[in-house]
Amino acid sequence: MNPFVFTHPEEKHFTFDKIPDLTGKVAIVTGGNSGIGYFTCRELTRKHAHVFLLGRNIEKGQAAVETIKSETGNQNVEFLHLNLKSLKSVKECAENFLARNLPLHILINNAGVTTNTFSLTEDGIQEDFGVNHVGHFLLTKLLLTKIKASQPARIVNVSSILHSLATGIEFEKLDDPNAHDLRQRYQQSKLANILFTDEFNRRYLEGGQVYANSLHPGLVDTPLLRRSVSETLISSSISPEDGAITTLYCATSPEIEEKNYRGRYFVPFGIEGEKSSYAKDDDLAKRLWEFTENLINEKLLQK
């Protein structure tokens, strides 16, 4: 797979108007106050889901909620504070949602960062890996019991085609400021998204009706993309609105259940894509899982 020759199909396999009615469904979307996450929240809300928009910036998150209410006429959209740079915040966010005693049918792990300089989370984890993978890993595990009790349900992890540039995960060097360039850190975190999805399926979801899949949303014109690729690729990018289509396909399309899609990787617009060889490595997925669990336990014990 070569991400530098990726093109978006002219004909869309999935579009917003194919989203079924979601009355009675409850959804969580991380990073929902802007970009792909915002349009994901908007369209879920438009189809009558009860949506929780999760984000770090309270002011922007609440503003996004009010805009979505105005645009869709559905008042069942709420903001919950989530700072993925803090494992404590992840735990508090999960507890706040669980205290509502609602079902959870759709969990979309959408938030992501790519850093301009080497930086650590509040827990001392390299930021790309910590935000893009570790925070979402913990959030998903904390909400798993609720998700399984609400099945049929979906878990959607937004990865990137740039995962294919990662040649594994260098666990021992993740927090070494001199070990990788900025792009390599992001690529490894996006590879982790896919490996986590597949290992999660194997450990917890076999035989049930919880469908966990990962995706590449497309080369979406966002600040994150502009820090990750060349000007040539940016010129062929799609809008954040179109970037939400594949996420919404994984989250809502009846095809996911009809075709029993689990641990699959999708590309625009709702088409199954090809993972890199490293993303298919079951041993690497297992090692990542164990490494992440140990890392979380170690960091939380320090609190």
Side-chain angles (χ1 to χ4, degrees), residues 33 40 49 57 66 80 130 135 140 144 149 152 172 195 199 201 209 215 226 235 282 284:
N33 63 0
T40 300
N57 189 307
E66 294 307 313
L80 283 180
T140 306
L144 175 60
E172 295 79 12
L195 293 168
E199 187 68 10
N201 271 296
Q209 288 184 289
L215 66 104
R226 289 177 178 273
S235 67
D282 292 351
L284 181 60

Side-chain angles (χ1 to χ4, degrees), residues 29-44 51 53-54 68 108 110-111 158 222 240-241 243-244 247-248:
V29 183
T30 70
N33 63 0
S34 63
I36 298 170
Y38 172 82
F39 291 109
T40 300
C41 289
R42 187 190 71 181
E43 295 308 311
L44 291 171
V51 177
L53 183 160
L54 276 53
I68 291 171
I108 300 175
N110 164 81
V158 179
T222 63
E241 197 163 7
T247 301
L248 288 161

Side-chain angles (χ1 to χ4, degrees), residues 200-229:
F200 197 81
N201 271 296
R202 284 188 287 268
R203 288 177 181 252
Y204 292 112
L205 304 181
E206 289 184 357
Q209 288 184 289
V210 180
Y211 304 85
N213 295 287
S214 58
L215 66 104
H216 166 56
L219 299 176
V220 182
D221 188 5
T222 63
L224 191 151
L225 180 79
R226 289 177 178 273
R227 292 196 296 270
S228 305
V229 301

Side-chain angles (χ1 to χ4, degrees), residues 40-227:
T40 300
C41 289
R42 187 190 71 181
E43 295 308 311
L44 291 171
T45 306
R46 193 187 303 280
K47 291 294 184 172
H48 312 118
H50 186 164
V51 177
F52 287 85
L53 183 160
L54 276 53
R56 183 164 58 94
N57 189 307
I58 297 173
E59 184 177 349
K60 289 182 179 179
Q62 291 175 336
V65 164
E66 294 307 313
T67 302
I68 291 171
K69 287 180 179 179
S70 176
E71 287 184 327
T72 67
N74 181 356
Q75 302 302 299
N76 284 326
V77 54
E78 303 180 52
F79 174 78
L80 283 180
H81 180 257
L82 170 67
N83 179 6
L84 286 162
K85 297 181 183 181
S86 164
L87 295 176
K88 179 182 177 183
S89 175
V90 174
K91 285 188 66 179
E92 290 174 349
C93 180
E95 290 166 357
N96 287 340
F97 174 79
L98 293 172
R100 301 291 299 274
N101 200 28
L102 291 168
L104 178 55
H105 305 97
I106 301 169
L107 172 61
I108 300 175
N109 291 317
N110 164 81
V113 300
T114 179
T115 49
N116 290 320
T117 59
F118 182 84
S119 55
L120 300 175
T121 68
E122 294 179 14
D123 301 290
I125 304 168
Q126 194 280 318
E127 192 169 327
D128 293 59
F129 189 76
V131 170
N132 298 345
H133 168 63
V134 179
H136 284 127
F137 180 104
L138 178 59
L139 180 68
T140 306
K141 285 201 69 180
L142 291 172
L143 296 174
L144 175 60
T145 300
K146 179 63 69 175
I147 293 168
K148 293 183 78 170
S150 308
Q151 57 187 307
R154 312 279 179 94
I155 299 170
V156 182
N157 291 324
V158 179
S159 180
S160 168
I161 199 168
L162 294 176
H163 85 272
S164 63
L165 295 180
T167 54
I169 298 176
E170 296 185 87
F171 297 98
E172 295 79 12
K173 298 181 180 180
L174 285 171
D175 295 340
D176 182 349
N178 302 311
H180 311 103
D181 65 29
L182 301 179
R183 292 182 181 182
Q184 287 176 313
R185 296 188 183 103
Y186 180 75
Q187 293 155 11
Q188 289 190 48
S189 73
K190 293 289 99 180
L191 173 61
N193 293 151
I194 299 174
L195 293 168
F196 164 58
T197 306
D198 295 353
E199 187 68 10
F200 197 81
N201 271 296
R202 284 188 287 268
R203 288 177 181 252
Y204 292 112
L205 304 181
E206 289 184 357
Q209 288 184 289
V210 180
Y211 304 85
N213 295 287
S214 58
L215 66 104
H216 166 56
L219 299 176
V220 182
D221 188 5
T222 63
L224 191 151
L225 180 79
R226 289 177 178 273
R227 292 196 296 270

